[in-house]
Amino acid sequence: MGYLLLILGIALWIGGHLFKRLVPAKRAAMGDKGKGLVAVALLAAIVLMVIGYRSAALVTVWVPPSFMIHISNLLVLIGFWFFALSGVAGTMSARVRHKQLTGVKSWAVGHLLVNGDLASILLFGGMLFWAVLSVILINKAEPTWERPANPSVKNDAIAFGVALVLYGIVALIHTWLGYYPFPVGGA
């Protein structure tokens, strides 16, 4: 049952996000009421993914080498940094169009490197698929991009500081849930 809920959650997440890209006229016809409906669908998707992931039977597909933990942690931190960059005009903001989707891709790849079980591959692979597909669809629909004005290295540093704080909070939550994100014994 866990895998079914996980897959339904991923499908609902992807469908909810791509709804306006794939059928823009139908989404526009729904008006503001459609925003609420999509928000409820996305919240339901998160709940389904969490419940499905946590209850899915362990099926090991591959065993990642321990050194991947370091690479994974770096990619997750970079993912948080790109998310933070979406709110400030840093020099990286002026170079990367889809900062939040780039953050999701970095986060997903980082998790795929250290989780070789089927549920993780479905969850993080599904999120990676969604982020890549979203970038393609957005770029196709809106081929031009206006870069942020007045990018600042200072804002890059501020965004990185925000990313470090968020990373620390998420690491604490992972630890609380029983998933210690840092190598033990210098692995």
Side-chain angles (χ1 to χ4, degrees):
M1 185 67 154
Y3 283 102
L4 178 61
L5 294 176
L6 177 59
I7 292 168
L8 284 173
I10 294 166
L12 188 57
W13 177 267
I14 292 171
H17 276 92
L18 298 184
F19 181 53
K20 87 173 185 184
R21 298 277 171 215
L22 298 176
V23 283
K26 187 170 267 197
R27 171 58 192 91
M30 296 172 74
D32 285 341
K33 187 169 57 171
K35 288 181 183 177
L37 183 62
V38 169
V40 168
L42 295 177
L43 182 60
I46 292 170
V47 169
L48 288 170
M49 286 188 286
V50 169
I51 293 170
Y53 182 79
R54 303 264 310 166
S55 64
L58 178 64
V59 176
T60 302
V61 176
W62 71 293
V63 178
S66 62
F67 72 86
M68 288 290 190
I69 294 170
H70 302 294
I71 298 168
S72 172
N73 284 331
L74 178 61
L75 288 171
V76 170
L77 178 59
I78 289 169
F80 281 120
W81 184 42
F82 274 105
F83 247 84
L85 282 168
S86 69
V88 296
T91 58
M92 287 301 294
S93 298
R95 292 186 180 145
V96 178
R97 179 177 183 180
H98 306 285
K99 290 161 280 294
Q100 290 184 358
L101 291 169
T102 300
V104 170
K105 290 187 279 187
S106 183
W107 167 86
V109 169
H111 281 79
L112 286 168
L113 290 177
V114 294
N115 294 290
D117 61 286
L118 183 58
S120 294
I121 292 169
L122 289 171
L123 176 61
F124 302 117
M127 295 301 282
L128 179 60
F129 170 78
W130 161 71
V132 169
L133 183 60
S134 293
V135 167
I136 292 167
L137 291 174
I138 292 168
N139 287 345
K140 185 177 178 185
E142 304 162 20
T144 59
W145 171 51
E146 188 174 321
R147 295 179 187 277
N150 304 318
S152 153
V153 173
K154 177 183 173 187
N155 286 345
D156 286 335
I158 290 169
F160 191 74
V162 169
L164 282 171
V165 170
L166 290 173
Y167 182 83
I169 291 168
V170 171
L172 285 172
I173 293 168
H174 275 67
T175 301
W176 178 67
L177 291 172
Y179 303 105
Y180 190 66
F182 305 107
V184 178

